[in-house]
Structures are given as structure tokens and as C-alpha cells.
Amino acid sequence: MAIVVQKYGGSSVADVDKIRKVADRVGTTKAAGKDVVVVVSAMGDTTDELLALAKKLTDSPARRELDMLLSAGERISMALLSMALNARGVPAVSFTGSQSGIVTNDSHTNARIVEVRPFRVQDELERGKVVIVAGYQGVSYKREVTTLGRGGSDTTAVAIAAAIGADACEIYTDVDGVYTTDPNICPSARKINRISYEEMLELASLGAKVLQIRSVEVAMKYGVPVHVRSSFADVPGTWVVGEERSLEDVVVAGVAYDKGEAKVLLQSVVDKPGVVAKIFGALAEKNIAVDMIIQNTAAGSSDISSTDVTFTVAKTDLARVKPLIEELARAVGGKGVQYDEEIVKVSIVGLGMRSHAGIAARMFEILARESINIQAISTSEIKISCLIASKYTELAVRALHDGFGLDKASQAPSPADPV
């Protein structure tokens, strides 16, 4: 019998009426002769509300206690959905992350799954029951409750699907698939029928918020077909699958943007071996992730013994990293530090970049035609990113989207449902 894992996000189970609709959909899937595992997020804004309660008591709640608190949200959803299914005559049972065999490391509030022991899930499936799993949570080897970070229910669903050998993992959300770019700022954005794991991983890391990055990593590692689709409309969504020849024919699959970075400029630091290593080594020791990096001759200087070092960090890290950066600037002979939070990273992604020349030049030309200055560039085999002033975000996204023909590009046909 085919096995399908279905994940429903917070907006899909936000109230009792929506839980009833999810129960109807799950019941229909079960009636079609499929074994079903359902992974649920907390209802609506429950996680934010629980976090706000904790903040009323202390500005720095203990991470262990946060996990104990926040994991309660998914437990409410799983129990209510199980009740709704049983009331419809569909046998169902709910499990917490630990009961489902989700074993994690001990990094509270941002744990990583290290293995899945789905024995109880498999036993209940064999008994003909729908199994409801609380997403976003697990248990460490120290028998502590842990949570997986924002969007962790996606990762739970894909990990469960891999562990039980599911035929597909359906991610139900408030959008009906993955789009060529954000339709809120580009009306000509199109839904993509089929996209590779690699492209989806790049898009997720570059600002697209449809799937959590780690869920895509797990799907790619274990070859789990993922179907991103709408909770509110019974229409095909976007399949995230392995690399295929037809996908390589599409040069650029999507345009993404990320407003979550800040630019840091260390002015006129000493230009000698070991200086850059010292700067970024110190940042690494503090677990500060750095993205784009540029080193060039100090602006307005003819002194070849000094250089400007520019890099980007997450805006959320900037406040705590400023004292370290300024200390580093002094240590390497810098003349000052400048910060710029009014920036955005715009990116194009596509498997076809591997075999097509001139894509970067075309991207730069499109931005130049709109008089948009590029402040930094980074590339990979299937991605090109440019740092620009944030005031040009919408203009840049629309220009790149239409400049690469994504407003009319023919997408690979949707595959038949594997289950």
C-alpha cells in the first residue's frame, strides 16, 4: 500500500473549522487506499503567543524551558486533529516528536535531527490507523525535549517520510506552490510545476520562505519527492524532485531576494597575509555567519599597503557583533567601520546556468539598464547574487524576472502523482 506523509502548517490548522477541513482531506486520502502520516504545526500564532508569555516573565528565558513551553503548541494541534478524525470514523492516533522516534542533538531551540526511530509510527500504520505527529520537536539523547527552529515541522515531515519509506511528502501551506519569484511584488510570477532539490535549496537559502532549508537538505539526501501545495484548494502544486534533463533546459528557474543582511565595511586595514584570516576567524569563533566578502584597495587611497574589507552578516546578528567588529578593526589597523542595513541581496537560480555562458553578464546588464548599482557579487554553479540598495528591491526583482523570460517561460510538465 502507498504511504504518504502530509504536513499542515499553522495557517492550515489555525482554528477548529480549519482542523475539520484538514480532517476531511486526510480522510479522503485514507479512503483512497493510502496509509497516511500527518505532521502538524501549532495552531495559527500559538508559538508567537507562547514566546510572548515567556518574554513577559524574563528577557532571557532558559532555552530548555522555552523548548518545554513551545513544544506544547504542536501537541494541541495533533490531539485536536486526531479527535476530529476519530469523530469521522477514521481511526487515528497522535504522537509527540519523542513518541514518533525523532532523536535530535541537545541544541535547545534549534536542534538538528540525528536519527528517526519510527517503530511506533509503523506499528500503528499496520493497524490501519492514521498517525498524527507533532512537528517541530524531538527528544535528545539526554531525554530532553527539543525543538527544531522556525519551520521545523517541514523537516519533521520529510525526515519521517524518509524513515518510513513514504512514496511522497506533501507540504500543505497557504500558497499553492513555489513561484518564479514573490508574486506580491511581481504580478507576472508563475507557479513552477517541477523544481530540483538543488534549485529549491538555493532559493530557500536566498530568501524564498516556502520550505525550510533543512527539510530540502533531508529530501535531497534521501530522495524524498516533496509536493508543495495549497491547504485551501485541491489543485496540483510544485514537485521538488531529483535533477532531471528537462529541468536543465530551464536556464533560470527563479528570482529570490533577501532583506535580512547588513553590510559591514572595515576601512583601510593593513594589507598583509593573515589579516583577513584574523578577522573572519574571530567571527567564526562567535558563530557569526558571513555571506558576501570583498577585499579591494581602500577608497580614495593610493596606499597599496592598506585595503578595504567588506562583508555581510545577518541583521539579527549585527547588534551583538558590532563591538567585536570594532575591536577587530582596531586590532588590524583599520581607520574605521561603516554599517549599512539598507541593502538587499537579489539572486537568480537555475540548473541551466551550468551549461549556458553569459548569464552573469546578462544579469548585470539588466540591473544596469535600470541604473541599479551592484555593491557585491557572489556565485555558485547554479546561482548568482548581487547586493544592491534596498530601495531598488521591487524594481530589480521585476526587471530580472521579466528579463530572463520567467513571465512566459514554459515550465517542465507536472509529473503524475507517485502515490
Side-chain angles (χ1 to χ4, degrees), residues 89-283:
V90 181
V93 60
S94 64
F95 287 146
T96 65
S98 60
Q99 290 172 322
S100 305
I102 306 288
V103 182
T104 75
N105 62 15
D106 59 359
S107 179
H108 284 293
T109 73
N110 195 32
R112 297 186 72 89
I113 297 173
V114 294
E115 68 173 308
V116 180
R117 302 169 179 171
F119 309 118
R120 294 190 69 182
V121 173
Q122 291 169 320
D123 287 345
E124 295 299 339
L125 287 177
E126 289 176 4
R127 294 186 179 104
K129 293 184 179 180
V130 172
V131 180
I132 318 295
V133 175
Y136 174 66
Q137 62 186 254
V139 62
S140 74
Y141 284 119
K142 297 179 181 178
R143 298 180 183 272
E144 294 281 357
V145 172
T146 55
T147 62
L148 307 178
R150 284 291 186 183
S153 293
D154 288 353
T155 304
T156 300
V158 177
I160 287 281
I164 65 176
D167 297 272
C169 179
E170 299 178 339
I171 304 292
Y172 287 91
T173 182
D174 53 2
V175 297
D176 61 355
V178 180
Y179 277 70
T180 49
T181 195
D182 183 352
N184 292 314
I185 68 172
C186 185
S188 60
R190 296 163 56 95
K191 184 170 68 177
I192 301 170
N193 295 326
R194 200 165 183 168
I195 191 169
S196 72
Y197 296 126
E198 288 183 88
E199 289 169 322
M200 191 67 246
L201 193 58
E202 289 282 12
L203 288 172
S205 69
L206 295 167
K209 297 177 174 60
V210 178
L211 286 174
Q212 192 207 42
I213 295 172
R214 279 189 282 172
S215 70
V216 184
E217 291 174 343
V218 175
M220 183 165 62
K221 181 176 180 180
Y222 295 100
V224 178
V226 176
H227 193 187
V228 181
R229 57 192 310 190
S230 172
S231 299
F232 311 114
D234 191 15
V235 296
T238 298
W239 283 95
V240 186
V241 294
E243 185 176 327
E244 298 173 354
R245 178 59 191 163
S246 61
L247 298 180
E248 294 179 0
D249 293 338
V250 179
V251 179
V252 175
V255 179
Y257 66 95
D258 184 0
K259 293 184 176 181
E261 295 191 5
K263 185 176 71 172
V264 179
L265 168 61
L266 299 183
Q267 296 175 299
S268 300
V269 304
V270 177
D271 188 10
K272 65 179 183 180
V275 170
V276 172
K278 183 174 183 177
I279 294 169
F280 295 106
L283 292 170

